[in-house]
Amino acid sequence: MTVALPRPCRPPDDPHAAPPTGPPAVSAADAVSPADPRGRRQWRQWYECVLGWPTWPAAEGRPLELITGVRFDALGMPAEAGFAVLGRVPATGPVALDGRARRMWFLTAVGSADELPGLLAWLEWGGIALELSVLGPGGRLVAPEPSGARRALRGPYGPGGAVEAVWVRPPEPGGSVEPTLPVTGLGGDGGAPDLVRLVSAAATECHRNRLLRAARARRDQPPDRPAGPGDPDDQALAFSYASRISAGTRPRSFTL
């Protein structure tokens, strides 16, 4: 899939207007009129004209989406694990929260999606079920509410009510996103965060989250119910070596 980077643009309804320089402001008329796509178009202009990020056109009743694999890839994990990672890795680059899917997405350097399987194997997480996912070339990520946009008027997928996704660590308008994205290497180039450290922390927190869910499930079971090898969470509890990773006792875990 070939995607052209957006060029500096002007609002299509006013070719003489200056390109947008800040988050879109939404009027009450935009919020209450489902036939008027102005509010949604303003969101798209913010991403394409202010940040220079390609987007996927929003169909009726669907959210605007960002196309991955062009300016960034994305590493996804359950929201609970993501919040724990935020507390352990202070420099991550932009981070988005998809509230409907309860997943957090960390933007990473282009090409990192292809590196994830090898990184997990090198960190000795291979063969362990983790709720990590990646979006690379051709992937689409629900576009969060533009950073700084008015919060009084929002809709299911844009202005008018509750939004589907928000920025937890927003991108900086007017600046290139690439120097802020995690890349392979201890510290990365130009001050970019280290992808290995981010993946290690994410894997640790995803595994810890699964162990905690398994423990809660066992605690909530009737006391007379015998445990068996077919229980869905037995595998998570069986990895005693991986459990040591959760405690940060393995040198290669890079636990922060």
Side-chain angles (χ1 to χ4, degrees):
M1 177 180 178
T2 302
V3 179
L5 287 175
R7 298 179 180 178
C9 52
R10 301 175 188 273
D13 51 353
D14 186 357
H16 302 292
T21 58
V26 181
S27 69
D30 296 328
V32 299
S33 176
D36 184 357
R38 181 183 177 187
R40 188 173 300 176
R41 186 169 64 244
Q42 287 178 325
W43 282 37
R44 187 177 185 184
Q45 289 169 1
W46 189 79
Y47 278 108
E48 294 198 347
C49 302
V50 177
L51 297 183
W53 295 2
T55 65
W56 191 267
E60 183 67 27
R62 293 296 306 153
L64 181 71
E65 295 174 307
L66 306 176
I67 300 175
T68 59
V70 180
R71 298 291 302 275
F72 52 82
D73 290 352
L75 174 69
M77 64 199 72
E80 294 80 2
F83 280 114
V85 171
L86 288 175
R88 296 174 53 182
V89 187
T92 61
V95 181
L97 173 65
D98 186 336
R100 176 167 297 187
R102 290 296 300 168
R103 290 188 70 78
M104 193 170 290
W105 292 94
F106 290 71
L107 302 195
T108 59
V110 172
S112 58
D114 295 332
E115 298 181 35
L116 182 63
L119 280 178
L120 290 175
W122 185 77
L123 291 167
E124 299 183 23
W125 284 103
I128 300 176
L130 299 171
E131 294 177 286
L132 285 175
S133 57
V134 289
L135 293 173
R140 290 183 285 180
L141 178 68
V142 173
E145 175 186 42
S147 177
R150 291 178 56 185
R151 295 181 175 275
L153 301 171
R154 300 184 298 188
Y157 302 116
V163 295
E164 177 166 325
V166 295
W167 286 110
V168 180
R169 289 180 178 171
E172 292 294 334
S176 178
V177 70
E178 283 80 3
T180 70
L181 299 178
V183 294
T184 302
L186 297 176
D189 297 327
D194 175 23
L195 178 65
V196 177
R197 188 175 293 271
L198 174 62
V199 170
S200 177
T204 298
E205 294 303 334
C206 283
H207 185 69
R208 188 197 309 273
N209 201 42
R210 188 180 180 193
L211 291 174
L212 291 174
R213 288 203 316 269
R216 287 194 296 266
R218 287 179 177 273
R219 183 189 59 204
D220 295 339
Q221 290 293 338
D224 57 345
R225 180 183 181 274
D231 286 350
D233 287 310
D234 278 352
Q235 186 185 23
L237 295 173
F239 285 103
S240 58
Y241 186 64
S243 300
R244 290 168 51 200
I245 302 173
S246 298
T249 57
R250 186 166 57 91
R252 194 181 288 181
S253 69
F254 284 91
T255 304
L256 301 180

